[in-house]
Amino acid sequence: MPHFLDIHTTDTDDLTTMIAEARRMKDARAGLPKGTPDAEQPLKDHMVALIFEKPSTRTRVSFDVGVRQMGGQTLVLTGSEMQLGHGETIADTARVLSRYVDLIMIRTFDEAVLHELAEHASVPVINGLTDQSHPCQIMADMLTFEEHRGPIRGKKVVWTGDGNNVCTSFLHAAGKFGFDLTFTGPETLEPAASAMAFARDAGSKVVIERDPAKAVEGADLIVADTWLSMHDAQSARERRHNQLRPYQVNEALMQANGNKALFMHCLPAHRGEEVTSAVMDGPNSVIFDEAENRLHAQKAIMRWCLGR
């Protein structure tokens, strides 16, 4: 079953094929009104379940619109409606949903939920985000970088701030797409050791550099993410800010790079915290191209899952 569960567990050739397909579909839509269906309808007569244990804006809208553009229909289910694993088991939920729909996307907390769902589903399952990884976002990021700067292989990416689930998927992508990654952030918030080991074992250079100005020297891409997850307690706010304030992406940091690197953020961003508005709205920022490309990358992922 061609599940899309993580970048590091997906064949490299398949990943590059998805990126190429996303670009092809995006080009085919150039100039069309937003609501226009794709000329090709690979999901015609297909039903896609979108499960959200975690709330979402970009993931929900981009998957919903993508399915509709490709001729399919969506069934959106929230955590309060599903209560996965509370009552009916995840395995039984997977078996039941597989009788009704052709594809399942899930955005959840515990990665074990994703893997149990995939293990027992008889239709493809897509990882829309877990606490451990966010592969759909990074596929959009790979598409965005290559649109602006060409192949990412051999380039230097700098992740600044918290080595969270998005950072984990960036490290997985480093190993698969052949770029190097420097992490600059506090020791207490370093990326998962397993993700760093994966990238290094694949031949990518992974560096920890506490000084952000040194970290961004020669970087082709600088990436930040929110300092607080939507589910973090308010009591963690001041502690997190004290730890991460030196790693804010601001005009001075971009100047330390020579203003050569692109800037990415998966959004939503807290302006004036992890990044300043001057950087977000500046000439190096590609954050809204990145947000749009969630749509195109995920359409390619869905087509790949369904063999289309």
Side-chain angles (χ1 to χ4, degrees):
M1 184 64 61
H3 301 303
F4 185 75
L5 303 182
D6 260 318
I7 287 176
H8 69 304
T9 58
T10 305
D11 184 81
T12 303
D13 288 343
D14 289 333
L15 293 170
T16 55
T17 296
M18 286 182 236
I19 297 296
E21 182 66 5
R23 292 189 71 170
R24 186 192 68 78
M25 288 189 290
K26 182 177 182 178
D27 290 345
R29 290 197 60 81
L32 294 177
K34 295 293 188 293
T36 307
D38 289 2
E40 301 172 71
Q41 297 283 282
L43 266 62
K44 182 176 173 57
D45 300 324
H46 284 64
M47 179 65 71
V48 179
L50 306 177
I51 302 173
F52 293 93
E53 286 202 295
K54 276 190 173 184
S56 166
T57 299
R58 273 151 296 279
T59 300
R60 177 166 180 166
V61 174
S62 57
F63 266 107
D64 200 343
V65 170
V67 171
R68 293 167 187 262
Q69 285 181 353
M70 294 192 292
Q73 298 183 61
T74 59
L75 175 66
V76 179
L77 300 164
T78 66
S80 60
E81 292 168 322
M82 297 287 294
Q83 296 188 340
L84 276 171
H86 303 285
E88 184 174 59
T89 66
I90 296 167
D92 286 349
T93 299
R95 294 183 182 105
V96 170
L97 281 178
S98 297
R99 301 297 182 102
Y100 300 144
V101 304
D102 303 287
L103 183 66
I104 300 169
M105 187 287 303
I106 183 168
R107 182 179 170 96
T108 187
F109 296 89
D110 188 351
E111 189 161 316
V113 172
L114 167 75
H115 287 285
E116 187 171 357
L117 191 73
E119 180 182 354
H120 296 281
S122 56
V123 298
V125 173
I126 295 173
N127 176 2
L129 174 140
T130 72
D131 286 344
Q132 283 71 47
S133 64
H134 197 0
C136 288
Q137 177 64 56
I138 272 51
M139 291 295 282
D141 294 350
M142 297 299 101
L143 172 61
T144 305
F145 185 91
E146 297 202 343
E147 282 182 329
H148 286 269
R149 296 286 174 88
I152 197 168
R153 179 170 295 278
K155 298 298 194 292
K156 178 183 176 179
V157 174
V158 174
W159 180 278
T160 176
D162 179 7
N164 60 13
N165 55 345
V166 186
C167 183
T168 291
S169 286
F170 247 107
L171 284 160
H172 291 161
K176 286 291 188 175
F177 289 92
F179 59 87
D180 300 327
L181 189 141
T182 295
F183 170 81
T184 185
E187 184 176 359
T188 53
L189 297 174
E190 284 184 4
S194 59
M196 290 192 286
F198 173 83
R200 285 170 174 151
D201 289 346
S204 297
K205 184 179 180 181
V206 178
V207 174
I208 306 293
E209 172 54 69
R210 302 293 174 212
D211 183 341
K214 289 182 180 178
V216 300
E217 290 177 0
D220 300 286
L221 171 62
I222 298 170
V223 190
D225 197 1
T226 180
W227 290 345
L228 283 169
S229 167
M230 65 183 75
H231 300 286
D232 285 338
Q234 188 64 27
S235 60
R237 185 177 184 87
E238 186 175 352
R239 183 176 69 254
R240 279 281 183 130
H241 279 216
N242 289 338
Q243 285 182 292
L244 290 164
R245 195 170 286 113
Y247 301 99
Q248 181 190 68
V249 181
N250 50 36
E251 300 92 311
L253 191 66
M254 296 302 288
Q255 287 167 7
N257 168 258
N259 285 307
K260 296 177 181 178
L262 295 178
F263 172 73
M264 288 189 187
H265 190 302
C266 67
L267 303 179
H270 296 81
R271 288 173 179 258
E273 294 186 9
E274 69 270 13
V275 58
T276 62
S277 288
V279 172
M280 287 185 67
D281 300 326
N284 297 63
S285 174
V286 292
I287 58 174
F288 297 112
D289 290 344
E290 188 184 359
E292 177 191 345
N293 283 338
R294 287 288 300 277
L295 170 65
H296 307 296
Q298 289 163 185
K299 286 166 67 175
I301 291 166
M302 288 188 282
R303 291 191 69 154
W304 174 80
C305 285
L306 292 170
R308 301 292 191 273

